[in-house]
Amino acid sequence: MGSLKEERKTIGWAATDPSGVLSPYTFTLRNTGAEDVFIKVICCGVCHTDLHQIKNDLGMSNYPMVPGHEVVGEVMEVGPEVTKFKVGDCVGVGCLVGCCATCRPCKAEVEQYCNKKIWSYNDVYTDGKPTQGGFANSMVVHQKFVVKIPEGMSPEQVAPLLCAGVTVYSPLNHFGLKGSGLKGGILGLGGVGHMGVLIAKAMGHHVTVISSSDKKKEEAMDVLGADDYLVSSDVDRMQELADSFDYIIDTVPAHHPLEPSLSLLKLDGKLIILGVINVPLQFVSPLLMLGRKMITGTFIGSMKETQEMLEFCKEKGVRSTIEVVKMDYVNTAMERLAKNDVRYRFVVDVAGSKLEDE
């Protein structure tokens, strides 16, 4: 355990400017503390947020930046006060690596709503050093922000669950929408939307994919197992299905009208917005008032929910649709992701990419 206080160097792929091009980058991991876990990264999912961050789309990127927040790895070493994990465990790390631990959200175990949360990358840790993500050989993470991967789940399959999976599971859990027999809609069929179909189906829901065209109908029904497919411009079907949904999960990350979705909700139905949109959205208030409907949004999920969601997916056999790539393909993967040319999540085989040979 003598090495616990020594800084380690590791290799990742980093963006160095808003072009977003990733290239090999050697950096120092922060000192591992008493409750820290040293993790060798096996693989890491590629999220739309990674694309926004490396290109500074949100105007707050700091470089060099190693992205990646759907990380699965193996525990190589633990601090003396670590109780949850041991060397050799297969573990996951999601979007967060720190929080204040004293505010109301933290005390309620919903640390994703902490105003002082620390992101897995493009943030500053408590020691003043930048955080770097999972497109790297290794990470050091406090045990609170590490989850155990249930035995028998493959690392590549688990990776998308750590962000996209829990992002869908959390609102269904929080709003009491886990019971079987509910009727749900999934608007948008990207990385989060595809997980929405899989998880809602595993909960026993009747699931309709709602889209602006019918080009994903076959995929939604035959590959993902949706029960129905609704094209939002089909006036007759929209009227037929009005006032019939318990909830709609809206994953569309661009400006779009809310009224069509609101009209589909039944009394007390919920429109749950998960897409990050930085322009105002509009609706007319009677659509809410006349059905006591709710527009809400949730943000990723807590560590507790993440662990619960993994156990649920293991039990129900939920398998995401992924494309595994090596690190030297990651820039092409980012270009394809920008065009939505992926079904449905890229996962980088970090361990198999032999970064030390770069």
Side-chain angles (χ1 to χ4, degrees):
M1 287 293 182
S3 62
L4 270 177
K5 289 296 171 201
E6 294 167 18
E7 290 189 334
R8 299 180 175 88
K9 287 205 178 319
T10 194
I11 299 172
W13 275 47
T16 54
D17 59 50
S19 70
V21 175
L22 298 162
S23 58
Y25 169 64
T26 300
F27 60 100
T28 304
L29 292 175
R30 64 183 174 82
N31 283 328
T32 45
E35 287 195 69
D36 285 334
V37 181
F38 175 59
I39 300 164
K40 179 191 176 197
V41 177
I42 297 170
C43 63
C44 185
V46 183
C47 176
H48 231 282
T49 305
D50 298 325
L51 188 60
H52 289 314
Q53 292 280 23
I54 61 174
K55 290 187 172 292
N56 196 27
D57 289 344
L58 306 173
M60 44 197 227
S61 296
N62 298 294
Y63 303 97
M65 180 200 302
V66 178
H69 62 211
E70 298 181 339
V71 191
V72 180
E74 181 185 348
V75 176
M76 304 304 286
E77 189 174 72
V78 296
E81 292 174 28
V82 171
T83 55
K84 297 180 178 178
F85 307 99
K86 61 183 189 307
V87 172
D89 282 350
C90 186
V91 296
V93 179
C95 301
L96 303 180
V97 293
C99 64
C100 78
T102 58
C103 68
R104 184 170 160 242
C106 284
K107 287 184 170 169
E109 294 188 297
V110 284
E111 60 287 323
Q112 73 271 32
Y113 299 111
C114 171
N115 288 331
K116 295 180 180 173
K117 59 183 167 285
I118 301 173
W119 301 101
S120 302
Y121 67 89
N122 193 36
D123 208 343
V124 179
Y125 201 66
T126 50
D127 59 1
K129 295 183 182 178
T131 58
Q132 302 289 11
F135 287 20
N137 269 340
S138 45
M139 295 179 81
V140 175
V141 184
H142 189 283
Q143 67 172 344
K144 177 177 173 55
F145 294 92
V146 180
V147 287
K148 183 89 183 283
I149 305 303
E151 212 170 312
M153 295 183 87
S154 76
E156 294 81 7
Q157 278 292 327
V158 168
L161 299 177
L162 296 169
C163 172
V166 76
T167 293
V168 170
Y169 182 88
S170 180
L172 295 174
N173 178 53
H174 175 72
F175 291 113
L177 297 167
K178 282 162 71 179
S180 64
L182 295 176
K183 184 170 179 180
I186 306 292
L187 185 60
L189 201 57
V192 176
H194 113 276
M195 286 306 324
V197 175
L198 297 174
I199 287 175
K201 280 299 294 176
M203 288 176 175
H205 297 180
H206 180 284
V207 179
T208 301
V209 169
I210 306 165
S211 189
S212 55
S213 76
D214 62 3
K215 67 180 182 198
K216 291 185 180 176
K217 181 173 183 178
E218 200 176 312
E219 240 167 308
M221 308 277 288
D222 301 343
V223 180
L224 299 177
D227 298 288
D228 198 0
Y229 191 92
L230 174 61
V231 178
S232 51
S233 57
D234 184 336
V235 177
D236 291 342
R237 287 227 61 213
M238 288 292 288
Q239 284 178 345
E240 178 195 325
L241 293 172
D243 301 321
S244 69
F245 287 81
D246 293 289
Y247 68 86
I248 292 173
I249 288 177
D250 181 343
T251 72
V252 177
H255 185 272
H256 58 286
L258 299 184
E259 271 106 341
S261 295
L262 290 171
S263 70
L264 293 170
L265 295 172
K266 60 167 67 161
L267 176 66
D268 292 325
K270 294 171 180 64
L271 175 58
I272 301 161
I273 295 184
L274 301 181
V276 177
I277 307 162
N278 55 10
V279 292
L281 298 173
Q282 288 181 312
F283 62 92
V284 292
S285 60
L287 266 176
L288 289 186
M289 296 156 61
L290 296 174
R292 204 163 56 192
K293 300 173 186 182
M294 181 192 291
I295 299 174
T296 186
T298 59
F299 177 65
I300 50 175
S302 65
M303 298 313 300
K304 189 177 173 186
E305 284 175 322
T306 305
Q307 192 68 63
E308 265 177 36
M309 176 271 311
L310 290 173
E311 303 291 348
F312 173 83
C313 289
K314 163 81 190 294
E315 180 197 334
K316 300 290 186 182
V318 173
R319 290 179 61 81
S320 44
T321 303
I322 58 172
E323 182 177 335
V324 179
V325 300
K326 292 284 195 281
M327 192 65 87
D328 59 11
Y329 186 80
V330 76
N331 287 307
T332 307
M334 289 293 186
E335 286 170 20
R336 285 178 54 195
L337 180 59
K339 297 183 231 165
N340 291 320
D341 176 24
V342 57
R343 295 294 174 267
Y344 282 94
R345 206 66 152 185
F346 285 115
V347 177
V348 181
D349 173 11
V350 177
S353 297
K354 303 200 170 14
L355 300 189
E356 58 275 8
D357 299 338
E358 297 297 339

